[in-house]
Amino acid sequence: MLICYQHNFIYLKAPKTAGTSVEMALEPLCVPPGSEIRECREAMRTPYGIVGARGPAPHLRSEPLKRIKRRLGWRSHNSARYIRLRIGKQRWHQSIKIANIRNPFDQLVSAYHFRFHYNTKKSEPDFAVLRKHFLEKVKNNRFRLPYNRKIFFLFGNYIIDKVIRFEHLHDDLAALQNELMLPIDPVANLPHTKKTSRRHPVSAYFDRQAIEIVKSRFAWVFDRFDYPTEPAD
């Protein structure tokens, strides 16, 4: 989550859409010149803007009050409602709202791997076992699906002005730079973070029931952004 005072934008971060990479690419506009840009950080508020806390904070594990404060403060996935409440109606309405989007099928598989297999010493299980586990999480709604309407909607209204598509990351960032006349090149600053690997195509993870569940739960994404309603290889 970023708020840039000088260039008048708010970046709302949707999970598993290359959000951390885009956040880090735009962050230099929201912090004092020369500030270190790192993947894991505490929240920062300066005359240049606000940067939400990002990534794990191991030093807070034994400090529950600080952990709670971090969770309730400025952080990566703050909702539109939370941000508007904290900054006030005037700045909210004057700011350009930016967010990333991604094909729901691809995003869901990526989120699954990140949650259950990223940064672990355990080897990835046999694909038949993994797929069964994935489908159980989708069908039982025990795995929190990654698209969060609280990022894109406020009081039932869609509020994002500029969308950066995961599938066209460089092109959309370049267009954003030109439209907002940003003094930095976000494409050149774009890091590659939280990389997860998988050996099977996205379509291999889904059966017909799971496809229909995703289509139903993410209908607004398919309708608004014209993503294909079948998982592609």
Side-chain angles (χ1 to χ4, degrees), residues 105-122:
F105 294 110
D106 186 35
Q107 188 196 23
L108 186 55
V109 171
S110 177
Y112 172 80
H113 276 272
F114 178 74
R115 180 168 181 178
F116 295 104
H117 302 291
Y118 175 71
N119 198 24
T120 176
K121 295 181 180 179
K122 296 181 180 179

Side-chain angles (χ1 to χ4, degrees), residues 199-217:
R199 298 187 297 272
H200 300 274
V202 170
S203 60
Y205 287 77
F206 293 88
D207 62 15
R208 177 47 52 185
Q209 182 183 357
I211 290 172
E212 295 304 320
I213 289 172
V214 173
K215 286 167 61 177
S216 174
R217 290 177 182 166

Side-chain angles (χ1 to χ4, degrees), residues 60 62-71:
L60 298 182
S62 60
E63 303 181 61
L65 291 179
K66 287 186 178 181
R67 192 167 64 244
I68 292 172
K69 183 178 179 180
R70 187 180 196 259
R71 181 172 180 82

Side-chain angles (χ1 to χ4, degrees), residues 21-142:
S21 296
V22 171
E23 193 175 37
M24 292 173 67
L26 296 175
E27 185 176 321
L29 300 168
C30 309
V31 296
S35 297
E36 181 184 4
I37 308 299
R38 57 188 185 275
E39 184 172 349
C40 298
R41 61 160 306 122
E42 290 300 306
M44 176 185 284
R45 185 167 191 169
T46 72
Y48 292 84
I50 301 172
V51 181
R54 186 168 60 230
H59 65 287
L60 298 182
R61 289 174 182 169
S62 60
E63 303 181 61
L65 291 179
K66 287 186 178 181
R67 192 167 64 244
I68 292 172
K69 183 178 179 180
R70 187 180 196 259
R71 181 172 180 82
L72 297 177
W74 293 111
R75 56 189 177 86
S76 282
H77 302 296
N78 283 137
S79 68
R81 184 174 184 178
Y82 179 90
I83 296 171
R84 180 179 179 272
L85 179 66
R86 291 288 300 271
I87 67 175
K89 294 181 182 179
Q90 182 175 355
R91 182 174 293 279
W92 173 262
H93 289 301
Q94 290 175 347
S95 299
I96 297 168
K97 272 73 77 176
I98 306 165
N100 286 26
I101 203 75
R102 185 176 185 176
N103 181 301
F105 294 110
D106 186 35
Q107 188 196 23
L108 186 55
V109 171
S110 177
Y112 172 80
H113 276 272
F114 178 74
R115 180 168 181 178
F116 295 104
H117 302 291
Y118 175 71
N119 198 24
T120 176
K121 295 181 180 179
K122 296 181 180 179
S123 60
E124 186 176 297
D126 176 79
F127 183 67
V129 175
L130 184 149
R131 182 176 185 264
K132 180 180 179 182
H133 186 239
F134 171 81
L135 290 172
E136 287 175 352
K137 294 298 181 182
V138 173
K139 294 176 183 180
N140 296 331
N141 203 21
R142 293 176 182 171

Side-chain angles (χ1 to χ4, degrees), residues 150-192:
K150 294 179 180 180
I151 297 293
F152 297 89
F153 290 82
L154 181 63
F155 306 129
N157 298 313
Y158 180 82
I159 51 86
I160 300 300
D161 301 304
K162 304 292 181 183
V163 171
I164 300 170
R165 298 163 295 173
F166 177 88
E167 299 81 7
H168 303 280
L169 201 58
H170 288 190
D171 290 343
D172 288 352
L173 274 175
L176 182 72
Q177 179 191 8
N178 291 332
E179 289 179 36
L180 302 190
M181 294 184 289
L182 303 179
I184 65 170
D185 182 354
V187 175
N189 293 341
L190 191 68
H192 193 176

